[in-house]
Amino acid sequence: MSETIRTQVAIIGAGPAGLMLAHLLQRSGIELVILESRSRDYVESRVRAGVLEHGTSELLRETGVGERMRREGLVHRGIALRFNDRSVRIDFPDLTDGKTVTVYGQQEVVKDLIAARLATGAPILFECAAVAIDAGDEPSVRYRDAGGAEHVVRADFIGGCDGFHGVSRHSIPKETLKIFERAYPFGWLGIMSETPPVGDVIYARHERGFALASLRNPNLSRYYIQCGLDTEIADWPDDRFWDELKRRFPDDIGRKIVTGPSIEKSIAPLRSFVAEPLRYGRLFLAGDAAHIVPPTGAKGLNLAISDVFYLQRALAAHFANGDDRYLERYSDMALRRVWAAERFSWWLTKLLHVFPDDDAFETRIKLSEFDHLHRSKHARAMVAEQYAGLPFED
Ligand code: RFL
Ligand code: PHB
């Protein structure tokens, strides 16, 4: 039987953006409904990001969902960049006002946010997929449950937090949205393995392509290599992956890599994408629903969190005293941070990857850029400031 729910905010998507928006709104006493097309098990086991900016981990802590992160997350003071035999260390506390980043898996953040919501007795409607959105003066979301029955949520506002392939962005008329996009001619092949990591987050450029060493905990490693867009996972058994990974790191790192069976292997194409504006009527886009960055700068999850920080502040002011100034500025404010992350991620992607049309000139330019980072504290400070995270605007 079809049901109609009435609430203040309908949130589509239980990824980091939707769950954090729900968490923050709930703390302001705002009623909401979250629709998620997948199962709880699926969203809790989806392996994605791993690096939390300073401001992201602070916000999780300040709003009461940072306890497990405090215990299990790994605080990192920097990252290393390697270019053949050259090495640059970006030391965050030294180059910023004392900032650090925290290595803590996105799926752990998602688990913590789901647990926090369910602990309040409020539900998340899993396996309920939004199928149509009306963003007009009487906003509504039509959704389909696991049994195929259709229902409606009526709300004052809709949070479109349903990721890049969701319905929110597509429900906005094409002529209203301006799309900015770059597709890169490669992807990342990533694996997770229950082996001790090399310890640091290390980005390497090699003539065979980019490689990244990361981690989740002292016995869980995460590695990525740049791959062609036509790469098939089946063609990359573990042995082949480990051989290629070790070839791309300088010997001192390669020797430290402990190999073992992979427990997850996936390919992600790299893309930069921004849809503007982030508002259409009473629908507000946040996170990957509105923008994508290549993962090189570790910014995607962090942008999802900063978007919803601005959005909840705007909605809270609306419901508390009818003040819509922040709602009106939401798109501009969030986009300023989005474009800063787009620029940083694009720049780091270009510096560290091998492009099919890179010629000797291009390679020398990148080498020179690396030398600049090596020699100049100012250049390293620019990387540190952006990697550890720009502050939220007042
Ligand atoms: P999500 O996580 O995609 O969540 C959207 C949710 O919406 C649901 N959904 C729907 N629900 C209801 N009705 C519908 N019609 C729906 N359609 C979709 C989906 O099932 C899903 O649960 O988007 P969100 O919340 O905006 O979060 C964004 C982040 O997930 C993403 O930006 C990051 O994972 C990107 N990223 C990284 N970000 C970082 O900040 N640091 C990193 O180190 C980092 N590493 C990465 C990454 C992304 C990667 N991949 C796989 C693209 C590494 C990789 C390899
Ligand atoms: C990860 O640990 O998954 C990770 C780390 C840094 C990145 C991207 C992904 O830039």
PDB file of all heavy atoms in Angstrom, residues 12-18 35-38 43 46 48-51 106 128-130 161-163 166-167 224 268 286-288 295 298-302 304, ligand 1:
ATOM      1  N   ILE A  12      18.046  12.442   0.205  1.00  0.00           N
ATOM      2  CA  ILE A  12      18.184  11.303  -0.705  1.00  0.00           C
ATOM      3  C   ILE A  12      19.644  10.860  -0.685  1.00  0.00           C
ATOM      4  O   ILE A  12      20.536  11.623  -1.073  1.00  0.00           O
ATOM      5  CB  ILE A  12      17.763  11.683  -2.140  1.00  0.00           C
ATOM      6  CG1 ILE A  12      16.380  12.338  -2.121  1.00  0.00           C
ATOM      7  CG2 ILE A  12      17.741  10.444  -3.038  1.00  0.00           C
ATOM      8  CD1 ILE A  12      15.951  12.880  -3.473  1.00  0.00           C
ATOM      9  N   GLY A  13      19.891   9.624  -0.218  1.00  0.00           N
ATOM     10  CA  GLY A  13      21.249   9.077  -0.195  1.00  0.00           C
ATOM     11  C   GLY A  13      21.812   8.984   1.214  1.00  0.00           C
ATOM     12  O   GLY A  13      21.795   9.960   1.967  1.00  0.00           O
ATOM     13  N   ALA A  14      22.305   7.792   1.559  1.00  0.00           N
ATOM     14  CA  ALA A  14      22.953   7.592   2.866  1.00  0.00           C
ATOM     15  C   ALA A  14      24.440   7.304   2.671  1.00  0.00           C
ATOM     16  O   ALA A  14      24.989   6.341   3.204  1.00  0.00           O
ATOM     17  CB  ALA A  14      22.263   6.479   3.649  1.00  0.00           C
ATOM     18  N   GLY A  15      25.100   8.150   1.882  1.00  0.00           N
ATOM     19  CA  GLY A  15      26.563   8.170   1.822  1.00  0.00           C
ATOM     20  C   GLY A  15      27.018   9.176   2.876  1.00  0.00           C
ATOM     21  O   GLY A  15      26.210   9.641   3.696  1.00  0.00           O
ATOM     22  N   PRO A  16      28.286   9.564   2.861  1.00  0.00           N
ATOM     23  CA  PRO A  16      28.761  10.533   3.857  1.00  0.00           C
ATOM     24  C   PRO A  16      27.957  11.839   3.849  1.00  0.00           C
ATOM     25  O   PRO A  16      27.641  12.373   4.916  1.00  0.00           O
ATOM     26  CB  PRO A  16      30.210  10.788   3.437  1.00  0.00           C
ATOM     27  CG  PRO A  16      30.596   9.595   2.645  1.00  0.00           C
ATOM     28  CD  PRO A  16      29.365   9.050   2.008  1.00  0.00           C
ATOM     29  N   ALA A  17      27.592  12.351   2.655  1.00  0.00           N
ATOM     30  CA  ALA A  17      26.872  13.635   2.601  1.00  0.00           C
ATOM     31  C   ALA A  17      25.503  13.512   3.269  1.00  0.00           C
ATOM     32  O   ALA A  17      25.168  14.299   4.166  1.00  0.00           O
ATOM     33  CB  ALA A  17      26.728  14.113   1.152  1.00  0.00           C
ATOM     34  N   GLY A  18      24.701  12.542   2.848  1.00  0.00           N
ATOM     35  CA  GLY A  18      23.342  12.403   3.387  1.00  0.00           C
ATOM     36  C   GLY A  18      23.343  12.091   4.872  1.00  0.00           C
ATOM     37  O   GLY A  18      22.558  12.665   5.648  1.00  0.00           O
ATOM     38  N   LEU A  35      16.343   8.481   2.542  1.00  0.00           N
ATOM     39  CA  LEU A  35      16.076   7.384   1.603  1.00  0.00           C
ATOM     40  C   LEU A  35      17.402   6.887   1.052  1.00  0.00           C
ATOM     41  O   LEU A  35      18.233   7.695   0.622  1.00  0.00           O
ATOM     42  CB  LEU A  35      15.241   7.885   0.423  1.00  0.00           C
ATOM     43  CG  LEU A  35      13.902   8.535   0.744  1.00  0.00           C
ATOM     44  CD1 LEU A  35      13.335   9.183  -0.515  1.00  0.00           C
ATOM     45  CD2 LEU A  35      12.939   7.487   1.291  1.00  0.00           C
ATOM     46  N   GLU A  36      17.617   5.587   1.045  1.00  0.00           N
ATOM     47  CA  GLU A  36      18.858   5.026   0.493  1.00  0.00           C
ATOM     48  C   GLU A  36      18.493   3.825  -0.380  1.00  0.00           C
ATOM     49  O   GLU A  36      17.833   2.905   0.091  1.00  0.00           O
ATOM     50  CB  GLU A  36      19.804   4.622   1.633  1.00  0.00           C
ATOM     51  CG  GLU A  36      20.969   3.737   1.242  1.00  0.00           C
ATOM     52  CD  GLU A  36      21.890   4.307   0.138  1.00  0.00           C
ATOM     53  OE1 GLU A  36      22.361   5.439   0.259  1.00  0.00           O
ATOM     54  OE2 GLU A  36      22.111   3.574  -0.865  1.00  0.00           O
ATOM     55  N   SER A  37      18.939   3.860  -1.629  1.00  0.00           N
ATOM     56  CA  SER A  37      18.532   2.799  -2.555  1.00  0.00           C
ATOM     57  C   SER A  37      19.152   1.437  -2.220  1.00  0.00           C
ATOM     58  O   SER A  37      18.569   0.402  -2.497  1.00  0.00           O
ATOM     59  CB  SER A  37      18.871   3.194  -3.992  1.00  0.00           C
ATOM     60  OG  SER A  37      20.242   3.495  -4.095  1.00  0.00           O
ATOM     61  N   ARG A  38      20.346   1.446  -1.577  1.00  0.00           N
ATOM     62  CA  ARG A  38      21.039   0.188  -1.295  1.00  0.00           C
ATOM     63  C   ARG A  38      20.719  -0.322   0.109  1.00  0.00           C
ATOM     64  O   ARG A  38      20.100   0.383   0.907  1.00  0.00           O
ATOM     65  CB  ARG A  38      22.554   0.404  -1.400  1.00  0.00           C
ATOM     66  CG  ARG A  38      23.010   0.935  -2.709  1.00  0.00           C
ATOM     67  CD  ARG A  38      22.845  -0.100  -3.783  1.00  0.00           C
ATOM     68  NE  ARG A  38      23.571   0.265  -4.984  1.00  0.00           N
ATOM     69  CZ  ARG A  38      24.091  -0.616  -5.830  1.00  0.00           C
ATOM     70  NH1 ARG A  38      23.946  -1.898  -5.621  1.00  0.00           N
ATOM     71  NH2 ARG A  38      24.714  -0.202  -6.907  1.00  0.00           N
ATOM     72  N   VAL A  43      26.138  -0.316   1.908  1.00  0.00           N
ATOM     73  CA  VAL A  43      26.774   1.003   2.092  1.00  0.00           C
ATOM     74  C   VAL A  43      27.879   0.957   3.159  1.00  0.00           C
ATOM     75  O   VAL A  43      28.843   1.708   3.083  1.00  0.00           O
ATOM     76  CB  VAL A  43      25.781   2.160   2.400  1.00  0.00           C
ATOM     77  CG1 VAL A  43      24.765   2.334   1.295  1.00  0.00           C
ATOM     78  CG2 VAL A  43      25.083   1.996   3.717  1.00  0.00           C
ATOM     79  N   ARG A  46      31.216  -0.584   1.351  1.00  0.00           N
ATOM     80  CA  ARG A  46      31.737   0.006   0.111  1.00  0.00           C
ATOM     81  C   ARG A  46      33.089   0.691   0.397  1.00  0.00           C
ATOM     82  O   ARG A  46      33.150   1.670   1.139  1.00  0.00           O
ATOM     83  CB  ARG A  46      30.699   1.027  -0.372  1.00  0.00           C
ATOM     84  CG  ARG A  46      30.828   1.476  -1.767  1.00  0.00           C
ATOM     85  CD  ARG A  46      29.562   2.162  -2.274  1.00  0.00           C
ATOM     86  NE  ARG A  46      28.895   3.022  -1.296  1.00  0.00           N
ATOM     87  CZ  ARG A  46      27.667   3.498  -1.442  1.00  0.00           C
ATOM     88  NH1 ARG A  46      26.958   3.219  -2.508  1.00  0.00           N
ATOM     89  NH2 ARG A  46      27.141   4.264  -0.524  1.00  0.00           N
ATOM     90  N   ARG A  48      36.014   3.058  -0.158  1.00  0.00           N
ATOM     91  CA  ARG A  48      36.304   4.289  -0.920  1.00  0.00           C
ATOM     92  C   ARG A  48      37.404   5.081  -0.248  1.00  0.00           C
ATOM     93  O   ARG A  48      38.494   4.594  -0.068  1.00  0.00           O
ATOM     94  CB  ARG A  48      35.035   5.105  -1.082  1.00  0.00           C
ATOM     95  CG  ARG A  48      34.124   4.512  -2.160  1.00  0.00           C
ATOM     96  CD  ARG A  48      33.067   5.476  -2.458  1.00  0.00           C
ATOM     97  NE  ARG A  48      32.253   5.146  -3.608  1.00  0.00           N
ATOM     98  CZ  ARG A  48      31.200   5.846  -3.935  1.00  0.00           C
ATOM     99  NH1 ARG A  48      30.841   6.879  -3.193  1.00  0.00           N
ATOM    100  NH2 ARG A  48      30.499   5.527  -4.997  1.00  0.00           N
ATOM    101  N   ALA A  49      37.078   6.310   0.151  1.00  0.00           N
ATOM    102  CA  ALA A  49      38.115   7.232   0.612  1.00  0.00           C
ATOM    103  C   ALA A  49      38.753   6.795   1.925  1.00  0.00           C
ATOM    104  O   ALA A  49      38.211   5.966   2.658  1.00  0.00           O
ATOM    105  CB  ALA A  49      37.490   8.604   0.797  1.00  0.00           C
ATOM    106  N   GLY A  50      39.893   7.435   2.229  1.00  0.00           N
ATOM    107  CA  GLY A  50      40.578   7.080   3.461  1.00  0.00           C
ATOM    108  C   GLY A  50      41.172   8.231   4.241  1.00  0.00           C
ATOM    109  O   GLY A  50      41.616   8.035   5.372  1.00  0.00           O
ATOM    110  N   VAL A  51      41.209   9.436   3.659  1.00  0.00           N
ATOM    111  CA  VAL A  51      41.923  10.530   4.335  1.00  0.00           C
ATOM    112  C   VAL A  51      40.943  11.643   4.729  1.00  0.00           C
ATOM    113  O   VAL A  51      40.268  12.217   3.873  1.00  0.00           O
ATOM    114  CB  VAL A  51      43.034  11.110   3.433  1.00  0.00           C
ATOM    115  CG1 VAL A  51      43.764  12.243   4.147  1.00  0.00           C
ATOM    116  CG2 VAL A  51      44.022  10.026   3.021  1.00  0.00           C
ATOM    117  N   GLN A 106      36.359   5.690   4.832  1.00  0.00           N
ATOM    118  CA  GLN A 106      35.024   6.261   4.616  1.00  0.00           C
ATOM    119  C   GLN A 106      33.943   5.309   5.134  1.00  0.00           C
ATOM    120  O   GLN A 106      32.945   5.733   5.692  1.00  0.00           O
ATOM    121  CB  GLN A 106      34.835   6.518   3.117  1.00  0.00           C
ATOM    122  CG  GLN A 106      33.436   6.992   2.757  1.00  0.00           C
ATOM    123  CD  GLN A 106      33.364   7.481   1.316  1.00  0.00           C
ATOM    124  OE1 GLN A 106      34.323   8.031   0.794  1.00  0.00           O
ATOM    125  NE2 GLN A 106      32.225   7.295   0.679  1.00  0.00           N
ATOM    126  N   CYS A 128      15.239   1.865  -0.408  1.00  0.00           N
ATOM    127  CA  CYS A 128      14.153   2.732  -0.861  1.00  0.00           C
ATOM    128  C   CYS A 128      14.770   3.747  -1.821  1.00  0.00           C
ATOM    129  O   CYS A 128      15.522   4.635  -1.397  1.00  0.00           O
ATOM    130  CB  CYS A 128      13.517   3.462   0.312  1.00  0.00           C
ATOM    131  SG  CYS A 128      12.496   2.366   1.314  1.00  0.00           S
ATOM    132  N   ALA A 129      14.487   3.607  -3.101  1.00  0.00           N
ATOM    133  CA  ALA A 129      15.144   4.436  -4.117  1.00  0.00           C
ATOM    134  C   ALA A 129      14.235   5.571  -4.569  1.00  0.00           C
ATOM    135  O   ALA A 129      13.087   5.330  -4.971  1.00  0.00           O
ATOM    136  CB  ALA A 129      15.517   3.580  -5.324  1.00  0.00           C
ATOM    137  N   ALA A 130      14.755   6.797  -4.485  1.00  0.00           N
ATOM    138  CA  ALA A 130      14.005   7.942  -5.017  1.00  0.00           C
ATOM    139  C   ALA A 130      13.872   7.761  -6.525  1.00  0.00           C
ATOM    140  O   ALA A 130      14.841   7.394  -7.195  1.00  0.00           O
ATOM    141  CB  ALA A 130      14.755   9.227  -4.698  1.00  0.00           C
ATOM    142  N   CYS A 161      21.618  14.172  -1.976  1.00  0.00           N
ATOM    143  CA  CYS A 161      22.935  13.658  -1.548  1.00  0.00           C
ATOM    144  C   CYS A 161      23.143  12.266  -2.130  1.00  0.00           C
ATOM    145  O   CYS A 161      23.708  11.388  -1.481  1.00  0.00           O
ATOM    146  CB  CYS A 161      22.991  13.592  -0.025  1.00  0.00           C
ATOM    147  SG  CYS A 161      22.667  15.155   0.798  1.00  0.00           S
ATOM    148  N   ASP A 162      22.653  12.041  -3.350  1.00  0.00           N
ATOM    149  CA  ASP A 162      22.604  10.675  -3.882  1.00  0.00           C
ATOM    150  C   ASP A 162      23.735  10.353  -4.851  1.00  0.00           C
ATOM    151  O   ASP A 162      23.588   9.489  -5.715  1.00  0.00           O
ATOM    152  CB  ASP A 162      21.235  10.395  -4.519  1.00  0.00           C
ATOM    153  CG  ASP A 162      20.764  11.504  -5.447  1.00  0.00           C
ATOM    154  OD1 ASP A 162      21.427  12.544  -5.514  1.00  0.00           O
ATOM    155  OD2 ASP A 162      19.735  11.320  -6.119  1.00  0.00           O
ATOM    156  N   GLY A 163      24.877  11.036  -4.688  1.00  0.00           N
ATOM    157  CA  GLY A 163      26.070  10.646  -5.442  1.00  0.00           C
ATOM    158  C   GLY A 163      25.982  10.994  -6.920  1.00  0.00           C
ATOM    159  O   GLY A 163      24.999  11.546  -7.401  1.00  0.00           O
ATOM    160  N   GLY A 166      23.023   9.506  -8.979  1.00  0.00           N
ATOM    161  CA  GLY A 166      21.688   9.605  -8.389  1.00  0.00           C
ATOM    162  C   GLY A 166      20.689  10.330  -9.287  1.00  0.00           C
ATOM    163  O   GLY A 166      20.999  10.710 -10.418  1.00  0.00           O
ATOM    164  N   VAL A 167      19.483  10.534  -8.739  1.00  0.00           N
ATOM    165  CA  VAL A 167      18.418  11.163  -9.544  1.00  0.00           C
ATOM    166  C   VAL A 167      18.336  12.679  -9.319  1.00  0.00           C
ATOM    167  O   VAL A 167      17.734  13.382 -10.136  1.00  0.00           O
ATOM    168  CB  VAL A 167      17.021  10.555  -9.245  1.00  0.00           C
ATOM    169  CG1 VAL A 167      16.972   9.095  -9.658  1.00  0.00           C
ATOM    170  CG2 VAL A 167      16.648  10.706  -7.775  1.00  0.00           C
ATOM    171  N   TYR A 224      47.199   1.876  -4.853  1.00  0.00           N
ATOM    172  CA  TYR A 224      46.583   2.167  -6.151  1.00  0.00           C
ATOM    173  C   TYR A 224      47.682   2.299  -7.201  1.00  0.00           C
ATOM    174  O   TYR A 224      48.788   2.769  -6.898  1.00  0.00           O
ATOM    175  CB  TYR A 224      45.840   3.500  -6.139  1.00  0.00           C
ATOM    176  CG  TYR A 224      44.703   3.637  -5.161  1.00  0.00           C
ATOM    177  CD1 TYR A 224      44.914   4.175  -3.884  1.00  0.00           C
ATOM    178  CD2 TYR A 224      43.396   3.283  -5.512  1.00  0.00           C
ATOM    179  CE1 TYR A 224      43.859   4.343  -2.993  1.00  0.00           C
ATOM    180  CE2 TYR A 224      42.334   3.456  -4.622  1.00  0.00           C
ATOM    181  CZ  TYR A 224      42.571   3.986  -3.363  1.00  0.00           C
ATOM    182  OH  TYR A 224      41.537   4.161  -2.477  1.00  0.00           O
ATOM    183  N   ALA A 268      38.570   2.654 -10.695  1.00  0.00           N
ATOM    184  CA  ALA A 268      37.764   3.883 -10.745  1.00  0.00           C
ATOM    185  C   ALA A 268      38.345   4.801 -11.829  1.00  0.00           C
ATOM    186  O   ALA A 268      39.542   5.100 -11.801  1.00  0.00           O
ATOM    187  CB  ALA A 268      37.809   4.583  -9.393  1.00  0.00           C
ATOM    188  N   ALA A 286      24.348  18.256  -2.711  1.00  0.00           N
ATOM    189  CA  ALA A 286      25.563  18.234  -1.887  1.00  0.00           C
ATOM    190  C   ALA A 286      26.382  16.985  -2.209  1.00  0.00           C
ATOM    191  O   ALA A 286      25.831  15.930  -2.520  1.00  0.00           O
ATOM    192  CB  ALA A 286      25.200  18.246  -0.396  1.00  0.00           C
ATOM    193  N   GLY A 287      27.708  17.097  -2.109  1.00  0.00           N
ATOM    194  CA  GLY A 287      28.597  15.954  -2.324  1.00  0.00           C
ATOM    195  C   GLY A 287      28.697  15.566  -3.788  1.00  0.00           C
ATOM    196  O   GLY A 287      28.532  16.396  -4.693  1.00  0.00           O
ATOM    197  N   ASP A 288      28.966  14.272  -4.016  1.00  0.00           N
ATOM    198  CA  ASP A 288      29.205  13.779  -5.384  1.00  0.00           C
ATOM    199  C   ASP A 288      28.012  13.996  -6.304  1.00  0.00           C
ATOM    200  O   ASP A 288      28.162  13.921  -7.529  1.00  0.00           O
ATOM    201  CB  ASP A 288      29.534  12.274  -5.359  1.00  0.00           C
ATOM    202  CG  ASP A 288      30.983  11.980  -4.979  1.00  0.00           C
ATOM    203  OD1 ASP A 288      31.659  12.886  -4.470  1.00  0.00           O
ATOM    204  OD2 ASP A 288      31.431  10.832  -5.208  1.00  0.00           O
ATOM    205  N   PRO A 295      40.642  11.334  -7.343  1.00  0.00           N
ATOM    206  CA  PRO A 295      40.973  11.048  -5.939  1.00  0.00           C
ATOM    207  C   PRO A 295      42.378  11.475  -5.508  1.00  0.00           C
ATOM    208  O   PRO A 295      42.711  11.383  -4.330  1.00  0.00           O
ATOM    209  CB  PRO A 295      40.822   9.518  -5.842  1.00  0.00           C
ATOM    210  CG  PRO A 295      40.911   9.017  -7.240  1.00  0.00           C
ATOM    211  CD  PRO A 295      40.427  10.112  -8.131  1.00  0.00           C
ATOM    212  N   ALA A 298      42.594  13.513  -2.422  1.00  0.00           N
ATOM    213  CA  ALA A 298      41.806  12.983  -1.288  1.00  0.00           C
ATOM    214  C   ALA A 298      40.741  13.978  -0.814  1.00  0.00           C
ATOM    215  O   ALA A 298      40.563  14.211   0.378  1.00  0.00           O
ATOM    216  CB  ALA A 298      42.740  12.581  -0.135  1.00  0.00           C
ATOM    217  N   LYS A 299      40.041  14.558  -1.772  1.00  0.00           N
ATOM    218  CA  LYS A 299      39.126  15.657  -1.422  1.00  0.00           C
ATOM    219  C   LYS A 299      37.628  15.303  -1.467  1.00  0.00           C
ATOM    220  O   LYS A 299      36.810  16.023  -0.893  1.00  0.00           O
ATOM    221  CB  LYS A 299      39.353  16.843  -2.376  1.00  0.00           C
ATOM    222  CG  LYS A 299      40.641  17.567  -2.122  1.00  0.00           C
ATOM    223  CD  LYS A 299      40.519  18.489  -0.925  1.00  0.00           C
ATOM    224  CE  LYS A 299      41.826  18.852  -0.310  1.00  0.00           C
ATOM    225  NZ  LYS A 299      42.174  18.119   0.902  1.00  0.00           N
ATOM    226  N   GLY A 300      37.223  14.228  -2.161  1.00  0.00           N
ATOM    227  CA  GLY A 300      35.800  13.987  -2.424  1.00  0.00           C
ATOM    228  C   GLY A 300      34.943  13.884  -1.174  1.00  0.00           C
ATOM    229  O   GLY A 300      33.943  14.592  -1.024  1.00  0.00           O
ATOM    230  N   LEU A 301      35.347  13.027  -0.269  1.00  0.00           N
ATOM    231  CA  LEU A 301      34.589  12.849   0.971  1.00  0.00           C
ATOM    232  C   LEU A 301      34.590  14.147   1.782  1.00  0.00           C
ATOM    233  O   LEU A 301      33.574  14.551   2.366  1.00  0.00           O
ATOM    234  CB  LEU A 301      35.227  11.707   1.773  1.00  0.00           C
ATOM    235  CG  LEU A 301      34.903  11.602   3.252  1.00  0.00           C
ATOM    236  CD1 LEU A 301      33.432  11.283   3.461  1.00  0.00           C
ATOM    237  CD2 LEU A 301      35.754  10.512   3.892  1.00  0.00           C
ATOM    238  N   ASN A 302      35.729  14.817   1.805  1.00  0.00           N
ATOM    239  CA  ASN A 302      35.843  16.050   2.588  1.00  0.00           C
ATOM    240  C   ASN A 302      34.945  17.155   2.040  1.00  0.00           C
ATOM    241  O   ASN A 302      34.369  17.931   2.798  1.00  0.00           O
ATOM    242  CB  ASN A 302      37.313  16.477   2.624  1.00  0.00           C
ATOM    243  CG  ASN A 302      38.164  15.484   3.402  1.00  0.00           C
ATOM    244  OD1 ASN A 302      37.978  15.325   4.609  1.00  0.00           O
ATOM    245  ND2 ASN A 302      39.058  14.783   2.720  1.00  0.00           N
ATOM    246  N   ALA A 304      32.127  16.573   0.462  1.00  0.00           N
ATOM    247  CA  ALA A 304      30.759  16.170   0.819  1.00  0.00           C
ATOM    248  C   ALA A 304      30.442  16.683   2.227  1.00  0.00           C
ATOM    249  O   ALA A 304      29.359  17.221   2.491  1.00  0.00           O
ATOM    250  CB  ALA A 304      30.615  14.646   0.746  1.00  0.00           C
TER     251      ALA A 304
HETATM  252  P1  RFL B   1      28.108   8.627  -2.174  1.00  0.00           P
HETATM  253  O1  RFL B   1      29.083   8.078  -1.190  1.00  0.00           O
HETATM  254  O2  RFL B   1      28.159   8.120  -3.565  1.00  0.00           O
HETATM  255  O3  RFL B   1      26.653   8.360  -1.568  1.00  0.00           O
HETATM  256  C1  RFL B   1      25.482   8.534  -2.328  1.00  0.00           C
HETATM  257  C2  RFL B   1      24.444   7.562  -1.795  1.00  0.00           C
HETATM  258  O4  RFL B   1      23.221   7.776  -2.507  1.00  0.00           O
HETATM  259  C3  RFL B   1      22.638   6.507  -2.805  1.00  0.00           C
HETATM  260  N1  RFL B   1      21.703   6.688  -3.934  1.00  0.00           N
HETATM  261  C4  RFL B   1      20.356   6.775  -3.788  1.00  0.00           C
HETATM  262  N2  RFL B   1      19.573   6.698  -2.699  1.00  0.00           N
HETATM  263  C5  RFL B   1      18.225   6.813  -2.875  1.00  0.00           C
HETATM  264  N3  RFL B   1      17.652   6.988  -4.104  1.00  0.00           N
HETATM  265  C6  RFL B   1      18.407   7.062  -5.225  1.00  0.00           C
HETATM  266  N4  RFL B   1      17.842   7.218  -6.405  1.00  0.00           N
HETATM  267  C7  RFL B   1      19.830   6.950  -5.093  1.00  0.00           C
HETATM  268  N5  RFL B   1      20.870   6.980  -5.959  1.00  0.00           N
HETATM  269  C8  RFL B   1      21.997   6.824  -5.246  1.00  0.00           C
HETATM  270  C9  RFL B   1      23.851   5.624  -3.107  1.00  0.00           C
HETATM  271  O5  RFL B   1      23.552   4.243  -2.964  1.00  0.00           O
HETATM  272  C10 RFL B   1      24.833   6.116  -2.048  1.00  0.00           C
HETATM  273  O6  RFL B   1      24.735   5.392  -0.843  1.00  0.00           O
HETATM  274  O7  RFL B   1      28.181  10.212  -2.257  1.00  0.00           O
HETATM  275  P2  RFL B   1      28.517  11.319  -1.117  1.00  0.00           P
HETATM  276  O8  RFL B   1      27.746  11.051   0.130  1.00  0.00           O
HETATM  277  O9  RFL B   1      28.398  12.619  -1.792  1.00  0.00           O
HETATM  278  O10 RFL B   1      30.047  11.038  -0.729  1.00  0.00           O
HETATM  279  C11 RFL B   1      31.084  11.289  -1.645  1.00  0.00           C
HETATM  280  C12 RFL B   1      32.236  10.296  -1.418  1.00  0.00           C
HETATM  281  O11 RFL B   1      31.723   8.984  -1.411  1.00  0.00           O
HETATM  282  C13 RFL B   1      33.334  10.434  -2.506  1.00  0.00           C
HETATM  283  O12 RFL B   1      33.525  11.777  -2.856  1.00  0.00           O
HETATM  284  C14 RFL B   1      34.688   9.867  -2.021  1.00  0.00           C
HETATM  285  O13 RFL B   1      34.639   8.478  -1.825  1.00  0.00           O
HETATM  286  C15 RFL B   1      35.794  10.193  -3.038  1.00  0.00           C
HETATM  287  N6  RFL B   1      37.087   9.600  -2.692  1.00  0.00           N
HETATM  288  C16 RFL B   1      37.889  10.170  -1.722  1.00  0.00           C
HETATM  289  N7  RFL B   1      37.488  11.264  -1.042  1.00  0.00           N
HETATM  290  C17 RFL B   1      38.252  11.766  -0.020  1.00  0.00           C
HETATM  291  O14 RFL B   1      37.858  12.772   0.581  1.00  0.00           O
HETATM  292  N8  RFL B   1      39.456  11.202   0.356  1.00  0.00           N
HETATM  293  C18 RFL B   1      39.940  10.110  -0.281  1.00  0.00           C
HETATM  294  O15 RFL B   1      40.977   9.589   0.134  1.00  0.00           O
HETATM  295  C19 RFL B   1      39.174   9.571  -1.392  1.00  0.00           C
HETATM  296  N9  RFL B   1      39.588   8.475  -2.037  1.00  0.00           N
HETATM  297  C20 RFL B   1      37.513   8.439  -3.341  1.00  0.00           C
HETATM  298  C21 RFL B   1      38.801   7.906  -3.001  1.00  0.00           C
HETATM  299  C22 RFL B   1      36.727   7.796  -4.309  1.00  0.00           C
HETATM  300  C23 RFL B   1      37.188   6.661  -4.932  1.00  0.00           C
HETATM  301  N10 RFL B   1      36.336   6.040  -5.877  1.00  0.00           N
HETATM  302  C24 RFL B   1      35.895   4.706  -5.727  1.00  0.00           C
HETATM  303  C25 RFL B   1      35.668   6.868  -6.837  1.00  0.00           C
HETATM  304  C26 RFL B   1      39.272   6.772  -3.630  1.00  0.00           C
HETATM  305  C27 RFL B   1      38.487   6.156  -4.623  1.00  0.00           C
HETATM  306  C28 RFL B   1      39.063   4.968  -5.305  1.00  0.00           C
END
